[in-house]
């Protein structure tokens, strides 16, 4: 299981893995699906499929070209006292951000999750091949990087360590728990001083911590505005963040490569123009979350003939895509099993 990175107020990840097929549902006050005539409680009717699912061994993400999702780019988070003690540290980590994009992150995750290589080896190979060059820091000392207990975070943590070591820091990686446990430790700076983080999720976690559970969201689909908001929030809790990378690990929607090639679609807008009555597979909350089925309908005008309650970015949804049981599935954008366009 991945570490749950999302506070309850910001639905960037779905939970649950029920396998029952449920009726098509729009976001309504009650969120209850209809039970007769193909209608939902909101009065909408199901739409006949014009594009049948196409099975295939490879799946590919369709571009979120109208920015439905909140940004979740990789960004280094650093204890503020440590950043002040080592003035060049954040700039060194920014070199890692500059070398990462989503396709690269997919390849790194594939090496660990599918090819079963060690995160440490994958990180070392990446740093060597990416040509990341850093100068020897004038002031350098011991730095502990906290890596959450899923492969992506472990690999990123080891990349940070490799580059910091090249700059003269005595850097090591330690495994940390969930954000509720490790963020206070990062703020204190005693056990860990650096963590590879996610822009949108960290922003809302701190926002709720500082401003309460009913705080207006700061994170959005605008990366620049979200990072600006994050910098202000981070300063309030004793943290500093570096530059965001182009690499994102956020909610995304995928089809099989065979389906994308058959219908000539690379974006969700193109999918909406080409196909009606899709079969959507995701975690059970998808029918009620604004970034999921309701957002696909309202933002893109996508229509669905059926919703299948599976899991959020997990093996059930990916296997259903490959077997041709669903047309469109919720995945994570940096999943190592994805093909790149």
């Amino acid at each position: 299981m991945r570490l749950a990175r999302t506070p309850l107020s910001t639905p960037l990840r779905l939970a649950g893995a029920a396998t029952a097929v449920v009726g098509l549902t729009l976001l309504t006050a009650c969120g209850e699906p209809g039970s007769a005539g193909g209608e939902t409680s909101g009065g909408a009717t199901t739409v006949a499929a014009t594009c049948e699912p196409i099975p295939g061994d490879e799946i590919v993400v369709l571009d979120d070209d109208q920015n439905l999702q909140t940004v979740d780019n990789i960004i280094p988070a650093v204890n503020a006292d440590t950043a002040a003690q080592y003035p060049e540290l954040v700039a060194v980590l920014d070199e890692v951000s500059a070398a990462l994009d989503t396709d690269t992150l997919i390849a790194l995750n594939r090496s660990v999750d599918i090819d079963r290589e060690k995160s440490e080896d994958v990180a070392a190979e990446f740093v060597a091949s990416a040509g990341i060059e850093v100068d020897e820091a004038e002031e350098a000392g011991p730095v502990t990087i906290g890596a959450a207990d899923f492969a992506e975070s472990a690999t990123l943590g080891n990349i940070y360590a490799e580059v910091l070591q090249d700059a003269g820091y005595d850097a090591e990686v330690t495994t940390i728990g969930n954000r509720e446990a490790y963020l206070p430790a990062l703020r204190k700076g005693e056990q860990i001083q650096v963590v590879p983080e996610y822009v949108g999720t960290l922003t809302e976690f701190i926002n709720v911590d500082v401003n309460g559970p009913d705080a207006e969201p700061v994170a959005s689909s605008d990366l620049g505005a979200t990072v600006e908001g994050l910098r202000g929030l981070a300063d309030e809790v004793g943290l500093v963040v570096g530059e965001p990378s182009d690499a994102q690990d956020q909610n995304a929607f995928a089809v099989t490569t065979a389906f994308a090639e058959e219908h000539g679609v690379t974006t969700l807008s193109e999918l909406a123009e080409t196909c009606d009555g899709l079969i959507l597979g995701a975690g059970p909350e998808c029918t009620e979350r604004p970034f999921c089925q309701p957002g696909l309908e309202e933002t893109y005008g996508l229509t669905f003939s059926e919703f299948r309650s599976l899991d959020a970015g997990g093996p059930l949804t990916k296997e259903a895509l490959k077997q041709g049981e669903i047309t469109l599935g919720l995945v994570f954008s940096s999943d190592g099993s994805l093909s790149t366009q």
Side-chain angles (χ1 to χ4, degrees), residues 17 104 106 132-133 139 155 170-171 193 201 246 249-250 252 282 327 329:
T104 300
I106 290 172
I132 301 175
E133 296 182 0
E139 297 182 47
T155 303
D170 180 15
Q193 293 82 45
T201 303
D246 288 336
D249 183 357
Q250 64 187 56
T327 323

Side-chain angles (χ1 to χ4, degrees), residues 6-10 180 187 200-218 233 237:
T6 307
L8 294 177
S9 62
T10 306
E180 287 82 359
R187 291 167 64 172
T201 303
L202 180 61
T203 298
E204 287 312 309
F205 191 94
I206 300 176
N207 185 30
V208 169
D209 185 46
V210 171
N211 298 313
D214 298 324
E216 285 293 319
V218 175
L233 289 166
V237 297

Side-chain angles (χ1 to χ4, degrees), residues 182-199:
Y182 74 69
L183 197 63
L186 182 62
R187 291 167 64 172
K188 290 180 180 178
E190 296 172 357
Q191 297 173 308
I192 56 173
Q193 293 82 45
V194 175
V195 173
E197 266 290 1
Y198 299 85
V199 169

Side-chain angles (χ1 to χ4, degrees), residues 19-265:
T19 57
V21 177
V22 300
L24 177 69
T25 309
L26 288 173
L27 180 64
T28 66
C30 296
E32 293 294 330
S35 58
E39 292 191 351
T40 70
S41 58
T45 58
T46 58
V47 178
T50 60
C51 299
E52 295 296 330
I54 300 177
D57 292 333
E58 296 183 347
I59 58 177
V60 63
V61 163
L62 297 182
D63 183 40
D64 178 22
D65 54 306
Q66 295 190 46
N67 300 316
L68 172 62
Q69 304 301 327
T70 299
V71 294
D72 238 356
N73 299 57
I74 309 299
I75 193 168
V78 182
N79 172 267
D81 290 339
T82 302
Q85 182 181 3
Y86 305 134
E88 297 162 278
L89 187 149
V90 175
V92 172
L93 297 173
D94 287 344
E95 293 297 321
V96 175
S97 292
L100 289 172
D101 59 24
T102 302
D103 285 352
T104 300
L105 192 57
I106 290 172
L108 292 170
N109 288 336
R110 183 181 300 122
S111 294
V112 177
D113 292 334
I114 297 175
D115 299 336
R116 300 302 179 187
E117 298 180 44
K118 293 181 179 180
S119 286
E120 296 91 334
D121 297 336
V122 171
E125 182 179 348
F126 168 74
V127 172
S129 62
I132 301 175
E133 296 182 0
V134 292
D135 296 328
E136 187 83 13
E138 293 184 6
E139 297 182 47
V143 176
T144 300
I145 300 107
D149 55 355
F150 59 96
E152 180 174 286
S153 184
T155 303
L156 291 168
N158 278 283
I159 291 173
Y160 282 2
E162 288 278 340
V163 175
L164 287 171
Q165 288 166 4
D166 289 345
Y169 295 87
D170 180 15
E172 63 176 7
V173 180
T174 187
T175 302
I176 52 181
N178 58 27
R179 188 172 283 101
E180 287 82 359
Y182 74 69
L183 197 63
L186 182 62
R187 291 167 64 172
K188 290 180 180 178
E190 296 172 357
Q191 297 173 308
I192 56 173
Q193 293 82 45
V194 175
V195 173
E197 266 290 1
Y198 299 85
V199 169
T201 303
L202 180 61
T203 298
E204 287 312 309
F205 191 94
I206 300 176
N207 185 30
V208 169
D209 185 46
V210 171
N211 298 313
D214 298 324
E216 285 293 319
V218 175
S220 69
S221 61
D222 185 325
L223 179 61
T226 302
V227 171
E228 182 179 357
L230 173 57
R231 292 196 195 285
L233 289 166
D235 184 63
E236 291 190 55
V237 297
L239 300 178
V240 172
V241 295
E243 292 299 318
S245 73
D246 288 336
Q248 301 188 59
D249 183 357
Q250 64 187 56
N251 293 313
F253 291 92
V255 296
T256 61
T257 302
F259 180 96
E261 292 175 348
E262 172 69 20
H263 295 287
V265 295

